[in-house]
Amino acid sequence: MVNELVLTIFIAVFLHAACYYPCSGSNAKINFREKEKEVLDQILGPGRYDARIRPSGVNGTDGPAIVRVNIFVRSISKIDDVTMEYSVQLTFREQWMDERLKFNDFHGKLKYLTLTEANRVWMPDLFFSNEKEGHTHNIIMPNVYIRIFPYGSVLYSIRISLTLSCPMNLKLYPLDRQICSLRMASYGWTTDDLVFLWKDGDPVQVVKNLHLPRFTLEKFLTDYCNSKTNTGEYSCLKVDLLFKREFSYYLIQIYIPCCMLVIVSWVSFWLDQGAVPARVSLGVTTLLTMATQTSGINASLPPVSYTKAIDVWTGVCLTFVFGALLEFALVNYASRSDMHRENMKKQRRQVELEHAQSLDGASDMIDTDSNATFAMKPLVRGPGDSMRLEKAHCEVHMQPRPNCCRSWLSKFPTRSKRIDVISRITFPLVFALFNVIYWSTYLFREEAEES
């Protein structure tokens, strides 16, 4: 009885297996992830692939390996004028053909193989020639991958952050534009073995809404920069980033405050010349403030040997403030000179009055003591008298006509007051003329450099 039951169960299981596996074998799914392992072991196994040997040229020839490059600019964190450098984060990609890595894609089921170890395959020895500092990103995992396509194409992608040198010409600062380059070259392979080319189509991409605090990225240009040394010619790529400095920041922080300080220094022209403490305090305060402003501007810039546009502006503004202080010194000297001259005139009048009084006293004594008669003037004029009258008449007609400026200045009797009045008009006019010349000169130069 037991044997019959066991036999029945065995037959049932056998029939079920015989029916299930033949029926389901045609519909069973292949695990292509396991196939990836098999393909990788097949093409990269020991003795099958040597990463030290570069790929062959186009169509398997002995020519140089062609590597096409494209980059994606993720962010530009800062552009430093003092150290003349800028920091950028980008996704860097290279693509080349290595026929040794061809594999069966199982009718399109394996689109590509993915690696994270760059040392498993041959890699171009590219480096950034104007790099100061740089690092890759390893959070959470290393931000790098290698894709191997069935026809032997290899795509290498990595995210890196770089600090690159950017020599700047600051003659038009802060109305300037700067060109910062990103240079990539081969370190050891010459152009006979390795050539870098920009990817066709869109080799450089920039993230949308790229924000920089003091600059605007106007455009970028790609170019080639092959270099020749005594060891051979090396392939090189470069991208030029054209940055325009945002002028609104400097207008608010530098130009408008300097204009206000210059105008404040003119207030002393309207104060009374006797208010010495007020005028001296105003002149010295504006001069020190302007000097502090100038030193703060120069502290944020490198000590270059040429004159910048901001140096011309601050230098002229400082000269105007210093001139206002010197004007008060001249007014004070003229005021004391006017007082001295007035005292001398008073003393002279006093001496003349005393002399006249003494002469009058002597003439009175002569008239009372003597019996002399008064001399009568002749009634008939001589020929000399008519000539003197004609001469006086001609002198009256030959006097120059009164000048409007002289007549206006004659309203102010003292020289010190005239200096203040002239300064009230001269200083603003000269400063306005300087502004016209300054802005027309540097704005036209900026447009010329842009064109």
Side-chain angles (χ1 to χ4, degrees):
M1 190 70 180
V2 175
N3 294 333
E4 292 180 358
L5 181 60
V6 172
L7 182 61
T8 303
I9 295 175
F10 177 78
I11 293 173
V13 171
F14 177 79
L15 292 176
H16 180 269
C19 180
Y20 177 78
Y21 284 104
C23 295
S24 61
S26 59
N27 297 327
K29 293 184 178 180
I30 301 175
N31 188 354
F32 287 101
R33 303 290 75 80
E34 294 291 336
K35 291 295 182 180
E36 288 185 7
K37 178 182 179 305
E38 294 179 5
V39 172
L40 286 174
D41 291 339
Q42 180 183 359
I43 62 177
L44 297 177
R48 296 179 178 272
Y49 183 88
D50 193 347
R52 299 172 297 176
I53 307 301
R54 72 167 180 88
S56 58
V58 180
N59 298 325
T61 61
D62 196 29
I66 304 299
V67 178
R68 300 190 179 273
V69 177
N70 71 96
I71 60 176
F72 174 66
V73 180
R74 293 181 172 271
S75 65
I76 300 176
S77 58
K78 69 172 183 177
I79 302 176
D80 198 337
D81 298 318
V82 178
T83 57
M84 291 192 179
E85 63 185 22
Y86 71 104
S87 299
V88 60
Q89 182 186 132
L90 50 88
T91 298
F92 176 76
R93 305 186 187 98
E94 295 175 310
Q95 193 165 9
W96 65 92
M97 181 68 70
D98 193 343
E99 295 184 354
R100 297 172 296 175
L101 298 176
K102 290 182 178 180
F103 62 90
N104 182 15
D105 61 351
F106 295 94
H107 304 288
K109 297 298 182 179
L110 291 181
K111 294 182 178 180
Y112 53 82
L113 304 175
T114 302
L115 295 176
T116 57
E117 300 175 0
N119 57 355
R120 297 289 301 274
V121 297
W122 176 87
M123 294 290 298
D125 59 343
L126 181 140
F127 77 106
F128 298 92
S129 58
N130 60 333
E131 171 204 351
K132 287 187 175 181
E133 295 179 359
H135 66 274
T136 59
H137 295 264
N138 298 318
I139 305 297
I140 298 175
M141 292 292 291
N143 297 163
V144 58
Y145 67 80
I146 297 174
R147 290 177 181 174
I148 304 175
F149 293 89
Y151 50 90
S153 177
V154 181
L155 173 63
Y156 174 72
S157 177
I158 186 171
R159 186 166 73 99
I160 53 179
S161 292
L162 301 170
T163 299
L164 306 166
S165 63
C166 178
M168 298 182 182
N169 185 357
L170 300 174
K171 289 184 178 180
L172 298 181
Y173 177 89
L175 300 168
D176 58 333
R177 285 178 168 84
Q178 301 298 336
I179 298 178
C180 295
S181 299
L182 175 64
R183 295 174 176 267
M184 300 160 284
S186 172
Y187 190 82
W189 297 98
T190 64
T191 52
D192 295 332
D193 296 311
L194 178 62
V195 173
F196 289 112
L197 297 176
W198 285 111
K199 182 183 177 181
D200 297 332
D202 195 6
V204 178
Q205 299 173 332
V206 180
V207 65
K208 294 182 179 179
N209 301 323
L210 180 65
H211 178 70
L212 295 172
R214 297 186 185 181
F215 287 88
T216 300
L217 179 60
E218 287 192 330
K219 60 182 178 179
F220 51 87
L221 302 172
T222 58
D223 201 357
Y224 297 90
C225 54
N226 291 5
S227 60
K228 291 184 179 181
T229 65
N230 56 3
T231 58
E233 182 180 0
Y234 298 91
S235 182
C236 175
L237 302 177
K238 75 171 183 176
V239 53
D240 293 331
L241 305 173
L242 179 59
F243 296 102
K244 179 182 179 182
R245 198 181 299 271
E246 287 290 342
F247 180 68
S248 57
Y249 168 81
Y250 300 92
L251 180 66
I252 297 173
Q253 297 294 328
I254 296 176
Y255 285 90
I256 292 179
C258 289
C259 284
M260 294 173 65
L261 286 174
V262 172
I263 294 173
V264 166
S265 67
W266 299 342
V267 175
S268 63
F269 304 153
W270 300 86
L271 298 178
D272 185 73
Q273 58 189 10
V276 176
R279 297 187 68 164
V280 171
S281 300
L282 183 62
V284 172
T285 302
T286 52
L287 183 62
L288 292 177
T289 306
M290 191 67 215
T292 305
Q293 181 86 350
T294 303
S295 63
I297 295 169
N298 293 329
S300 61
L301 292 174
V304 294
S305 59
Y306 48 82
T307 302
K308 303 180 289 294
I310 195 67
D311 295 335
V312 176
W313 175 264
T314 55
V316 172
C317 290
L318 189 62
T319 303
F320 271 93
V321 174
F322 184 67
L325 185 60
L326 290 182
E327 188 272 347
F328 171 66
L330 182 61
V331 166
N332 187 267
Y333 173 78
S335 176
R336 289 186 284 108
S337 179
D338 291 338
M339 292 177 60
H340 179 70
R341 182 180 299 179
E342 192 67 24
N343 292 333
M344 293 297 293
K345 286 182 179 180
K346 288 182 180 180
Q347 292 178 4
R348 191 178 298 111
R349 291 195 194 100
Q350 186 68 24
V351 171
E352 290 178 355
L353 182 61
E354 293 176 356
H355 183 66
Q357 288 177 356
S358 62
L359 290 177
D360 290 341
S363 61
D364 291 340
M365 292 176 63
I366 293 173
D367 291 339
T368 55
D369 294 339
S370 64
N371 295 324
T373 59
F374 291 99
M376 300 296 293
K377 294 181 180 180
L379 297 176
V380 181
R381 296 193 182 96
D385 296 335
S386 60
M387 292 180 64
R388 284 193 295 269
L389 288 174
E390 290 178 0
K391 185 177 181 181
H393 184 71
C394 291
E395 288 180 354
V396 170
H397 283 282
M398 291 177 64
Q399 288 180 355
R401 295 181 180 180
N403 193 352
C404 59
C405 294
R406 292 181 179 178
S407 61
W408 178 67
L409 289 175
S410 63
K411 298 179 182 179
F412 309 100
T414 60
R415 288 188 302 171
S416 58
K417 190 65 177 178
R418 292 176 185 175
I419 295 173
D420 271 343
V421 172
I422 293 173
S423 299
R424 294 173 189 174
I425 300 173
T426 306
F427 273 72
L429 287 179
V430 176
F431 189 68
L433 179 62
F434 162 71
N435 272 271
V436 172
I437 296 174
Y438 179 87
W439 294 113
S440 59
T441 300
Y442 284 103
L443 288 178
F444 287 155
R445 287 181 62 183
E446 181 188 12
E447 293 177 358
E449 287 196 357
E450 182 180 2
S451 61

